[in-house]
Amino acid sequence: MIIEELTMPEFIAGLEKTRTVLIPFGATEEHGPHLPLSTDTLHAVEVGRKLATRRPIFIAPPIPYGVCRSTSCHPGTLSIRTETLKALAFDIVSSLYGQGLRHFVLLTGHAGGTHLSALIDVGEELLVRFADCRVAVLTEYMLASREGRGLIETEGDSHAGEIETSRILHSHPQLVKGTAAQEFPAFPPGILVRDKHRCWPGGVWGDPGKASAEKGAQLEGLVVAALGRLIDQLETMEDY
């Protein structure tokens, strides 16, 4: 059930079927010279929509902005502060809670460490605020890399590489503009860098040349199945 497409009566009827909602978080962020800035948002939205065809679940409107620290200097990246992301997430979940939802899946297509930590912080705050809610926070990449390890050829592939290019080739092929060279950025360990673009000129972390639409279809199916299993656990687990 795609929330923005529902009428009031349809939303009410949906609450009779489920109290679970998936909130897709993404980013507007560079993804090399070949993938759209909306790549992370598209990943999370596509998986949510596919999951909604398999089971009763609400899918909230996506949040297309994230905390993009490593790519903040690259053209096209629009980053927000951690405080902004946390406030957005907290307010959205609080509003959904007020509408009767109780199980919340914060699925982010953007896997930046600072971004993910902010969402986990919010999840912990929500557990304290609402005693009868359950919260899961995870990245799309977490599922794709784990479930698709037998498909992925590039070791350490993570950003605009084999995995993400395959996914977009499958779901939105019209948005893929060719390919890009293999790249693995070289940030100095332990040192904060002001000009991140200098250390990571191409904006790719992995090998887009090994991507294919066929891999993308398989990866998407694996991610949707894994997400379904996680939600089964979330809905049936004992409270801790």
Side-chain angles (χ1 to χ4, degrees):
M1 294 172 285
I2 313 303
I3 288 180
E4 66 260 42
E5 298 177 2
L6 299 177
T7 62
M8 278 199 302
E10 288 172 335
F11 186 91
I12 294 169
L15 291 173
E16 297 298 320
K17 301 175 184 176
T18 184
R19 295 299 173 108
T20 301
V21 58
L22 182 147
I23 308 170
F25 287 84
T28 301
E29 179 190 39
E30 72 78 20
H31 274 74
H34 62 303
L35 295 182
L37 300 173
S38 60
T39 289
D40 290 342
T41 308
L42 294 175
H43 288 330
V45 169
E46 196 67 22
V47 166
R49 287 179 173 266
K50 288 291 194 308
L51 188 65
T53 66
R54 300 186 179 187
R55 65 186 300 146
I57 186 172
F58 286 98
I59 308 298
I63 295 85
Y65 299 102
V67 181
C68 304
R69 184 178 52 79
S70 297
T71 60
S72 60
C73 298
H74 289 72
T77 295
L78 306 178
S79 185
I80 60 176
R81 294 175 298 142
T82 55
E83 295 86 353
T84 304
L85 178 63
K86 290 172 70 172
L88 269 172
F90 191 91
D91 287 353
I92 290 166
V93 172
S94 296
S95 184
L96 289 165
Y97 182 91
Q99 291 290 336
L101 281 302
R102 292 296 180 266
H103 306 146
F104 304 93
V105 180
L106 280 59
L107 177 70
T108 173
H110 175 50
T114 306
H115 176 92
L116 179 60
S117 293
L119 291 176
I120 292 173
D121 283 349
V122 171
E124 295 288 353
E125 293 173 16
L126 289 163
L127 291 179
V128 174
R129 175 64 66 91
F130 303 116
D132 60 339
C133 82
R134 295 174 181 173
V135 182
V137 180
L138 69 159
T139 71
E140 245 262 338
Y141 173 76
M142 181 190 306
L143 297 177
S145 60
R146 183 185 70 199
E147 300 297 321
R149 57 186 175 273
L151 293 172
I152 302 160
E153 301 175 61
T154 310
E155 186 177 352
D157 189 271
S158 64
H159 183 85
E162 179 183 358
I163 297 172
E164 291 200 305
T165 303
S166 294
R167 297 288 302 282
I168 299 298
L169 279 170
H170 164 63
S171 65
H172 296 80
Q174 74 280 8
L175 298 181
V176 181
K177 309 302 194 308
T179 187
Q182 172 182 296
E183 184 183 18
F184 293 91
F187 291 99
I191 300 174
L192 300 182
V193 175
R194 182 172 286 105
D195 185 1
K196 299 172 179 62
H197 188 265
R198 182 178 176 183
C199 298
W200 194 6
V204 170
W205 197 316
D207 188 0
K210 289 187 169 63
S212 71
E214 292 74 21
K215 281 182 186 174
Q218 293 180 68
L219 286 168
E220 182 184 90
L222 291 168
V223 169
V224 173
L227 189 58
R229 294 193 296 271
L230 179 140
I231 291 171
D232 286 338
Q233 182 179 6
L234 183 70
E235 291 177 338
T236 58
M237 66 183 281
E238 296 180 6
D239 289 325
Y240 292 101

